[in-house]
Amino acid sequence: MRTDKQVYDTILNFAKSDERIRMVTLEGSRTNVNIPPDAFQDFDITFFVTDMESFTTQDKWLDVFGERLIMQKPEDMELFPAVEHGYSYLMLFSDDVKIDLTLLPLKLVEEYFTWDKLVKVLLDKDNRIKELPVPTDVDYHIQRPSERMYDDCCNEFWNTVTYVVKGLCRREILFAIDHMNEIVRKELLRMISWQVGAKRGFSFSLGKNYKFLDKYISQELWERLLSTYRMDSYEQMWESLELCMALFREVSAGVAQELGFSYPPYDEKISVYVARQKAGIYPAHQIAGNQV
């Protein structure tokens, strides 16, 4: 694998030699001092250019960055259309280096610096930026919830639990798994993040997809959370759902206490609903005999 210096030299030497490129910036984890560096970090690079079309009409110019294993151009896709500004090239190279390169028209320079605070200027040929930004991950810190946000999270969790139950009762396990992963689990993770913030302060980030969460919660809670990902049978799905409910009940009650919020009534009513629906599928003698 190339060293970081070799990669930056390749990028900047190319940019310096091409008059169409007026500014180069770095975004993402490599600008964040709170993220431990490793070999898997992308080089998230943006070129501000005077002529977008001269780049996007052909890809030969990208060969300067190395031999590509695969490339994705989100703005050129039909099945997965991009929603970002500009034009992007997501490239993995044969030496395992990953460069995500975005082209933006030069006219968007000022707007660009309002999008994200994790930005470092690598090259500014025209001295457009008078005061260089200091990268900060403040926009990604745990968000302190209002009481309305807290209630909304509880409502979304318990409301969607009923959809998981519907899928299980209908023997539509993929429907149940999808609602479990896409909504129920996301709200559980959100609530756990609020618990972390309530105890440790809302002044840091848990990382993308809560990837640093295990560093801030107890080993017991972490293991219980991981066990909810076992969903390869209807029986296991019921167990994982009920464990999600128990975890959410425990954590949300703690957050309410820490932040002085009222604990909403959804839990009690939906828990009774879930038990009733499950009992309708599994007779009492089966439940007593641990056959579910």
Side-chain angles (χ1 to χ4, degrees):
M1 177 180 278
R2 283 168 285 177
T3 65
D4 288 0
K5 183 179 184 306
Q6 288 174 320
V7 176
Y8 285 124
D9 283 348
T10 299
I11 293 169
L12 291 175
N13 287 338
F14 174 78
K16 289 174 183 177
S17 68
D18 193 316
E19 285 300 307
R20 297 171 298 174
I21 303 170
R22 307 312 301 169
M23 184 183 298
V24 180
T25 57
L26 175 72
E27 303 91 32
S29 65
R30 287 183 176 273
T31 69
N32 190 347
V33 297
N34 297 314
I35 302 292
D38 66 25
F40 291 97
Q41 282 183 309
D42 301 345
F43 290 84
D44 295 308
I45 300 291
T46 296
F47 285 172
F48 290 87
V49 302
T50 57
D51 184 357
M52 291 280 291
E53 188 175 354
S54 64
F55 286 99
T56 59
T57 52
Q58 51 85 26
D59 298 335
K60 183 65 178 175
W61 63 276
L62 295 165
D63 294 347
V64 69
F65 301 116
E67 179 186 357
R68 297 185 296 275
L69 291 180
I70 192 170
M71 176 169 69
Q72 183 176 104
K73 297 187 289 184
E75 287 76 17
D76 195 39
M77 301 181 81
E78 182 176 344
L79 183 58
F80 309 106
V83 294
E84 299 295 324
H85 302 271
Y87 199 92
S88 303
Y89 305 86
L90 314 183
M91 301 175 285
L92 176 64
F93 296 91
S94 58
D95 63 352
D96 301 336
V97 167
K98 180 77 161 57
I99 298 177
D100 290 349
L101 174 62
T102 299
L103 302 180
L104 285 175
L106 191 57
K107 64 182 181 181
L108 289 182
V109 165
E110 291 187 10
E111 182 181 340
Y112 163 83
F113 284 98
T114 68
W115 297 342
D116 199 327
K117 293 185 176 66
L118 279 175
V119 175
K120 181 178 181 181
V121 177
L122 301 182
L123 178 66
D124 181 5
K125 293 180 180 179
D126 308 310
N127 296 315
R128 292 173 177 271
I129 308 304
K130 304 306 180 185
E131 186 174 343
L132 294 178
V134 178
T136 173
D137 66 353
V138 65
D139 289 341
Y140 301 92
H141 288 182
I142 306 168
Q143 184 180 11
R144 184 185 184 94
S146 65
E147 186 160 8
R148 177 64 180 273
M149 291 165 62
Y150 167 80
D151 188 273
D152 287 348
C153 177
C154 292
N155 184 282
E156 181 76 345
F157 177 90
W158 291 107
N159 183 61
T160 310
V161 161
T162 67
Y163 287 81
V164 179
V165 170
K166 181 193 298 187
L168 295 177
C169 290
R170 286 176 169 173
R171 307 292 287 183
E172 297 169 347
I173 195 168
L174 294 183
F175 177 94
I177 289 174
D178 191 57
H179 282 82
M180 181 83 146
N181 282 335
E182 293 301 313
I183 302 177
V184 170
R185 196 183 311 286
K186 285 183 179 178
E187 296 311 316
L188 172 59
L189 288 167
R190 190 197 308 273
M191 189 62 73
I192 294 175
S193 78
W194 288 343
Q195 181 190 60
V196 172
K199 292 181 179 296
R200 296 173 177 262
F202 295 89
S203 58
F204 60 96
S205 170
L206 292 176
K208 189 175 183 179
N209 303 114
Y210 304 101
K211 61 184 179 180
F212 301 132
L213 182 61
D214 62 319
K215 304 180 188 305
Y216 296 96
I217 61 177
S218 68
Q219 184 65 26
E220 181 211 11
L221 178 55
W222 177 246
E223 291 176 357
R224 290 168 67 197
L225 174 63
L226 289 184
S227 69
T228 68
Y229 287 82
R230 299 169 188 155
M231 300 183 292
D232 61 347
S233 69
Y234 286 97
E235 291 75 16
Q236 191 62 64
M237 270 296 299
W238 276 108
E239 185 174 334
S240 293
L241 173 62
E242 289 173 330
L243 182 51
C244 271
M245 292 166 58
L247 286 174
F248 192 89
R249 178 181 302 117
E250 174 186 318
V251 173
S252 60
V255 170
Q257 184 174 12
E258 289 277 352
L259 300 182
F261 297 158
S262 298
Y263 187 68
Y266 316 123
D267 173 6
E268 182 179 358
K269 295 178 179 179
I270 298 304
S271 294
V272 171
Y273 169 85
V274 172
R276 184 170 70 249
Q277 299 304 323
K278 183 179 180 183
I281 298 175
Y282 301 107
H285 70 277
Q286 284 189 342
I287 295 176
N290 294 321
Q291 295 183 26
V292 300

